[in-house]
Amino acid sequence: MKNLFLLLILFCGLFSFAQRDMGPKELPANHPIELVDGQYLVNGEEFSNYDIKHHLMNNNPEAYKYYKKSKTKSSLGGLLLGLGGALIVGDAVKAMASDEDYPGPFTYVGAGLAAVSIPILSGRKKVLQKSLDTYNDSLSKEKTLGSNIEVNVLASTNGVGLTVKF
């Protein structure tokens, strides 16, 4: 029975990783990324965090820097909030199980960690929006070859020449 249970868990783990195509989905070129209700949309099509991360990493390093900073703030703030909540709950359980006073030192440390996580978590959406704005602004500044070529014919005492400006 143990072998069957272990084999079942192993296959469930393998099947859960087999559900996703391992490569990032390609985003359409020169289209802005919109953030609507926590979903990344490009031309009305939804893309995952993984796809957006790889697209920004390969196409716009400055926007990727802000995106990475937003994800770091989110992870750090969530860790501090979870750790603070766990300390508060742990101290409450400890106080119920023994004859100690409830607001113990772990409660104060947990409340402090939770309080520190609030400003960290509040700034992450602004940084994420700055990342998307940086990427979207860079799309409008990209130059196309056809509209930015300037060709001039020059004549001087030395001869005739051609200048091409891109």
Side-chain angles (χ1 to χ4, degrees):
M1 186 68 182
K2 285 183 182 179
N3 291 338
L4 182 63
F5 185 66
L6 181 64
L7 194 60
L8 180 67
I9 289 176
L10 179 69
F11 281 133
C12 286
L14 288 175
F15 291 146
S16 66
F17 284 110
Q19 298 301 315
R20 168 123 168 106
D21 181 17
M22 295 311 288
K25 196 162 69 169
E26 192 66 33
L27 271 72
N30 296 328
H31 291 285
I33 301 171
E34 299 173 7
L35 183 65
V36 178
D37 296 331
Q39 298 175 343
Y40 298 101
L41 300 175
V42 178
N43 288 341
E45 186 179 353
E46 184 179 347
F47 289 91
S48 67
N49 282 328
Y50 181 74
D51 300 331
I52 299 296
K53 179 181 90 168
H54 280 281
H55 184 74
L56 292 178
M57 185 179 2
N58 294 329
N59 296 323
N60 195 326
E62 185 180 355
Y64 176 66
K65 179 182 74 170
Y66 292 125
Y67 180 83
K68 196 166 66 169
K69 185 176 180 182
S70 167
K71 294 301 175 184
T72 302
K73 286 173 81 73
S74 179
S75 298
L76 181 64
L79 176 73
L80 290 176
L81 184 63
L83 187 62
L87 285 174
I88 291 170
V89 169
D91 196 32
V93 168
K94 183 180 132 190
M96 286 191 313
S98 66
D99 289 336
E100 294 182 18
D101 292 335
Y102 167 60
F106 287 123
T107 301
Y108 297 121
V109 171
L113 288 175
V116 167
S117 73
I118 292 171
I120 293 173
L121 286 172
S122 67
R124 69 190 158 112
K125 289 187 180 181
K126 249 196 282 188
V127 176
L128 181 61
Q129 190 60 46
K130 186 174 183 179
S131 167
L132 296 179
D133 289 342
T134 302
Y135 174 75
N136 292 339
D137 289 344
S138 72
L139 293 178
S140 63
K141 292 179 184 176
E142 288 184 3
K143 298 177 180 178
T144 58
L145 188 61
S147 63
N148 293 323
I149 290 181
E150 185 178 319
V151 179
N152 291 323
V153 177
L154 298 174
S156 68
T157 57
N158 294 332
V160 178
L162 194 66
T163 60
V164 179
K165 293 182 184 177
F166 295 96

